[in-house]
Amino acid sequence: MPDSVPDSVPDSEPESVSETATATSTATATASTAKATTGATIELENLTKRYPGSPNPAVDEVNMEIKAGELVIFVGPSGCGKSTTLKMINRLIEPTSGRIRINGEDVTDMDPVKLRRKVGYAIQSSGLFPHMTVAQNIALVPKMVGWSKSKIKSRVEEMLDLVGLDPGEFRGRYPRQLSGGQQQRVGVARALAADPPVLLMDEPFGAVDPITRDHLQDELIRLQHELHKTIVFVTHDFDEAIKLGDRIAVLRERSHIAQFDTPEAILTNPADDFVSGFVGAGAALKRLNLTRVRDVEVRDYPTVTVDDPLQDIFNKLRSGNTNEILLLDKRGRPYKWLRRGDLMRARGSLARAGTLVHDTVTRDATLRDALEAVLTDNAGRVAVTGRRGAYEGVVDMETLMNSVHELLEADRLDAVEHQHELEEQRAEHTHREQEGADTGGEERA
Amino acid sequence: MNFWDYLGNRHQQLLTDAYQHASAVFQCMVVATVLGVIIGIVTYRSDWAGSLATTTTSTILTVPSLAMIGLLIPIVGLGVAPTVIALTLYGLLPIVRNSIVGLRGVDPSLVDAAKGIGMSRVARLFRVELPLAWPPILTGIRVSTQMLMGIAAIAAYASGPGLGNEIFRGIASLGSKNALNQVLAGTLGIIVLALLFDAAYVLIGRLTIPRGIRA
Ligand SMILES: Nc1ncnc2c1ncn2[C@@H]1O[C@H](COP(=O)(O)OP(=O)(O)OP(=O)(O)O)[C@@H](O)[C@H]1O
Ligand SMILES: [Mg+2]
């Protein structure tokens, strides 16, 4: 199962072949629009929202700096003000006080309609207009900002390609003729159509089944890899946050920031009980999701191929310092584990000897998947494969354990260092605030 | 004279009446639709304005049509004017109500999405909200038309146009040999017109309701 991770694409469409085709056409498509806008910085300064009739603000003095090209996740319990904060960035909700700056420009008082055309917006229910076709939906923003017909047409194709939908098939469909996952992709395509530097997403994958969600998350990661937009993504699923985020802002009630840091730092060094509560049990296990097989040591293993003469195989088994070798098939793919004595028992027949390899992982698989494979293998190891499933090496329990320990140790060191920085910053901040409060008090007095 | 002979003899007059009847209803419907949808657009966002609009229009509907025309004659005189005014007023209710219901029924997340991608207030109304509210509005227009078909017959009382004249003539000369034929011809004419209009609306629905939201 884990070997299907990097190309775990078979969603509703059984098309691993056209999947790669899409990927290449996407690459060329983005290459052709080399001037695609990359992300902008976002700064929130004392951002506050007070809904009329409620005593406490829903969002209280949020300060945050988001770097250009960063994917930031807002995660927190229901009702903590994630959506309100997000919607203040494109001013779907007008802040009661505070400033919003995008790329340094203060957008708090600009025409909200103009602002929103530069900020992509995708929501949970996909928000596609049911009376318009997929193409019409995607074309909406480019049309509003006055692109030419021909440019819009090619852009629609490009966007559909980008989100992995065949333009010929989907262009003319109505939203109700799409699956939930497909609607979500079109929603993202529409949000990105006019090439905004910033993309806001409010639980975009909240309403699809876990498998499709996983798939959409992979797509978003790939997309972001190509586009480098600044993305603010709201979710209340912490695992989703870890998987997607460059940085995660864990929010508590009134959108107070409990911790704003990389997934690694939050997992290994949660700021307080609230954050650890949110991280949930198994932080170390979750950490495994953040590291790929390619980041750990992959061991060489003695191999033979089915084409080798039997005598060579015998010799190798006898001389080798392991009592097991990996038999590869004609195309160099892992085929069977052979132990000393297996061949004897099978009376020299390769077809009957050894145990079949039923699980492999690629270098893109997460350590968690690798661990899963190692745990289910009765000898505690799994073969790593590369292009076309060809053998590349083996990962076993020991390597995994060592790597994980190293990882966690490194994380801890990073976190401690980081903690110091933060404390210094905070000290400085409180210092300034106290001075500010003093003068404020005098004015009022 | 039996009914068929009567029709044969008087078909010229009947066709003229029917044409005028249809034309009066049609024109009043156009005015009522424009007014009704505008009232709907202006009021649907606010609770009290919406209920005010619906209550007012439904109060109008409770005024007996004969009384309405009777009240209008001293103000605007006899003929076409009281007919048009009365019909338009009566036609408003279903359209206003369905516009409000339709516009309020648009999925809020779609309105949110429309705002979020930078559609202006006007664009939102004309490209998203009205198209999505159109099916119920069209139903309102249809109901209104059926209603006006019958009410228009009363117009004859104010010397207005239409098949009502036929019916009133028949009633006035009850007992004479053509009385029944006249009432019958007027009534059947109205029913036929109503059916024709309804068929037209089905066609209009096919042509104007976007495929993505057609039931
Ligand atoms: N229009 C509104 N009027 C009054 N209060 C509101 C309004 N919208 C949201 N709130 C309140 O503001 C708080 C924050 O709401 P918000 O929608 O931002 O939460 P959230 O973090 O997105 O929650 P969820 O995860 O459930 O979507 C909540 O307590 C909510 O009740
Ligand atoms: Mg929310």
Side-chain angles (χ1 to χ4, degrees):
Chain A
M1 210 203 320
D3 64 334
S4 63
V5 165
D7 40 20
S8 71
V9 211
D11 181 16
S12 40
E13 315 92 53
E15 39 158 21
S16 51
V17 183
S18 75
E19 207 45 68
T20 39
T22 309
T24 30
S25 65
T26 305
T28 46
T30 23
S32 68
T33 51
K35 292 187 300 291
T37 323
T38 52
T41 59
I42 303 174
E43 290 159 73
L44 310 182
E45 193 185 302
N46 297 329
L47 203 58
T48 300
K49 177 65 189 182
R50 220 173 261 282
Y51 284 111
S54 66
N56 293 317
V59 173
D60 186 22
E61 303 263 323
V62 171
N63 286 287
M64 188 178 275
E65 274 177 35
I66 296 170
K67 294 180 209 133
E70 197 175 24
L71 203 168
V72 164
I73 313 273
F74 290 176
V75 66
S78 187
C80 72
K82 304 180 294 288
S83 300
T84 306
T85 311
L86 186 82
K87 286 180 179 174
M88 282 196 281
I89 298 177
N90 66 358
R91 295 193 27 232
L92 271 181
I93 294 177
E94 288 291 348
T96 312
S97 64
R99 319 290 317 166
I100 305 146
R101 266 184 278 276
I102 293 182
N103 245 2
E105 184 193 358
D106 193 330
V107 297
T108 329
D109 298 313
M110 84 180 271
D111 176 9
V113 170
K114 284 212 184 86
L115 166 66
R116 289 176 202 141
R117 288 179 190 172
K118 289 195 275 182
V119 177
Y121 183 57
I123 55 177
Q124 171 165 359
S125 53
S126 92
L128 294 181
F129 302 129
H131 59 297
M132 300 181 189
T133 61
V134 164
Q136 288 169 333
N137 266 290
I138 297 177
L140 274 170
V141 190
K143 231 184 224 165
M144 286 189 290
V145 294
W147 289 17
S148 72
K149 269 219 169 74
S150 58
K151 192 175 166 196
I152 293 176
K153 192 161 179 290
S154 64
R155 183 65 175 174
V156 168
E157 315 252 304
E158 189 187 332
M159 292 323 288
L160 280 174
D161 257 344
L162 184 71
V163 296
L165 295 175
D166 174 26
E169 189 182 346
F170 289 96
R171 201 174 20 213
R173 290 216 198 163
Y174 284 94
R176 69 168 177 192
Q177 298 166 320
L178 304 177
S179 74
Q182 291 164 343
Q183 288 184 17
Q184 230 22 278
R185 285 161 199 232
V186 178
V188 172
R190 181 175 73 182
L192 288 171
D195 201 20
V198 175
L199 178 59
L200 307 180
M201 309 178 90
D202 196 346
E203 300 192 34
F205 311 146
V208 292
D209 64 273
I211 294 172
T212 311
R213 183 181 321 149
D214 208 54
H215 186 149
L216 289 170
Q217 290 165 346
D218 290 339
E219 297 260 300
L220 182 67
I221 293 172
R222 199 206 73 222
L223 224 116
Q224 173 65 349
H225 222 75
E226 287 175 25
L227 302 178
H228 306 290
K229 303 285 180 190
T230 303
I231 302 180
V232 185
F233 187 109
V234 166
T235 178
H236 44 228
D237 176 358
F238 193 72
D239 290 320
E240 183 168 66
I242 293 176
K243 181 168 176 189
L244 295 177
D246 293 323
R247 282 197 295 165
I248 300 174
V250 184
L251 305 179
R252 47 158 52 110
E253 69 284 1
R254 282 178 240 160
S255 222
H256 284 168
I257 301 174
Q259 190 167 8
F260 184 27
D261 216 327
T262 59
E264 288 87 347
I266 290 181
L267 282 174
T268 42
N269 204 28
D272 55 24
D273 287 349
F274 177 82
V275 178
S276 4
F278 218 85
V279 170
L285 275 180
K286 285 177 186 170
R287 180 66 183 78
L288 294 181
N289 275 330
L290 293 172
T291 311
R292 310 261 158 189
V293 169
R294 79 172 90 80
D295 301 326
V296 304
E297 182 201 356
V298 174
R299 285 205 297 130
D300 273 337
Y301 210 75
T303 58
V304 291
T305 74
V306 285
D307 293 334
D308 289 344
L310 268 182
Q311 194 54 48
D312 288 5
I313 301 180
F314 267 120
N315 289 344
K316 208 156 193 171
L317 265 174
R318 229 171 282 135
S319 68
N321 33 17
T322 57
N323 56 3
E324 193 179 42
I325 56 174
L326 182 59
L327 178 64
L328 308 179
D329 69 6
K330 284 190 172 55
R331 298 195 201 157
R333 295 178 300 198
Y335 173 46
K336 274 179 174 180
W337 300 102
L338 280 183
R339 283 174 180 277
R340 221 174 271 179
D342 277 353
L343 269 179
M344 296 295 201
R345 274 191 292 278
R347 291 171 217 279
S349 155
L350 270 184
R352 269 182 282 146
T355 38
L356 281 174
V357 173
H358 48 79
D359 238 2
T360 59
V361 294
T362 66
R363 286 186 186 267
D364 287 323
T366 63
L367 284 198
R368 194 190 164 108
D369 292 328
L371 181 65
E372 169 95 27
V374 166
L375 286 176
T376 46
D377 183 274
N378 43 23
R381 72 303 196 231
V382 63
V384 180
T385 57
R387 289 175 64 92
R388 300 204 171 88
Y391 164 83
E392 293 206 333
V394 166
V395 171
D396 59 18
M397 200 61 179
E398 200 187 332
T399 342
L400 274 182
M401 290 270 285
N402 290 341
S403 313
V404 171
H405 280 147
E406 276 168 31
L407 274 174
L408 292 179
E409 193 50 42
D411 281 354
R412 241 187 304 278
L413 289 178
D414 280 353
V416 169
E417 196 173 314
H418 194 86
Q419 199 69 19
H420 274 303
E421 276 171 34
L422 281 182
E423 265 159 28
E424 273 166 30
Q425 275 177 17
R426 213 171 296 144
E428 203 177 314
H429 195 81
T430 6
H431 184 67
R432 252 186 293 152
E433 246 175 24
Q434 274 166 351
E435 281 182 348
D438 285 349
T439 52
E442 279 158 27
E443 272 162 23
R444 248 173 265 128
Chain B
M1 201 190 297
N2 74 16
F3 184 58
W4 299 113
D5 293 337
Y6 177 79
L7 283 190
N9 272 344
R10 305 291 300 273
H11 72 274
Q12 201 60 44
Q13 176 65 38
L14 283 171
L15 280 180
T16 314
D17 279 344
Y19 171 75
Q20 285 179 346
H21 198 98
S23 144
V25 169
F26 176 75
Q27 289 175 43
C28 294
M29 276 314 299
V30 170
V31 180
T33 301
V34 172
L35 275 182
V37 173
I38 289 176
I39 293 174
I41 289 172
V42 172
T43 59
Y44 81 101
R45 272 166 210 279
S46 123
D47 270 344
W48 67 266
S51 0
L52 181 71
T54 349
T55 320
T56 316
T57 46
S58 59
T59 311
I60 293 175
L61 204 57
T62 59
V63 179
S65 33
L66 209 52
M68 165 85 82
I69 290 184
L71 289 172
L72 282 170
I73 291 173
I75 306 172
V76 295
L78 287 172
V80 176
T83 313
V84 169
I85 295 176
L87 289 189
T88 308
L89 285 177
Y90 281 123
L92 280 178
L93 172 71
I95 300 175
V96 169
R97 185 160 49 197
N98 281 26
S99 303
I100 293 177
V101 169
L103 287 168
R104 282 186 182 164
V106 174
D107 182 350
S109 75
L110 291 183
V111 181
D112 192 57
K115 267 193 221 167
I117 64 169
M119 289 179 123
S120 64
R121 177 90 174 64
V122 177
R124 227 147 64 215
L125 186 65
F126 285 99
R127 307 231 35 214
V128 177
E129 292 176 284
L130 277 179
L132 291 177
W134 179 237
I137 295 178
L138 190 61
T139 308
I141 295 174
R142 223 168 133 177
V143 171
S144 234
T145 309
Q146 303 296 313
M147 217 170 64
L148 291 202
M149 277 295 167
I151 295 177
I154 312 292
Y157 176 75
S159 322
L163 288 165
N165 288 309
E166 201 70 15
I167 299 174
F168 270 90
R169 268 200 296 275
I171 293 173
S173 59
L174 269 186
S176 79
K177 63 182 162 96
N178 266 338
L180 192 61
N181 285 338
Q182 284 173 327
V183 175
L184 209 56
T187 313
L188 285 179
I190 289 173
I191 292 173
V192 169
L193 280 184
L195 290 176
L196 287 177
F197 266 76
D198 222 39
Y201 282 124
V202 172
L203 195 67
I204 290 175
R206 285 235 154 267
L207 294 176
T208 58
I209 297 177
R211 211 150 49 86
I213 54 171
R214 220 176 283 159

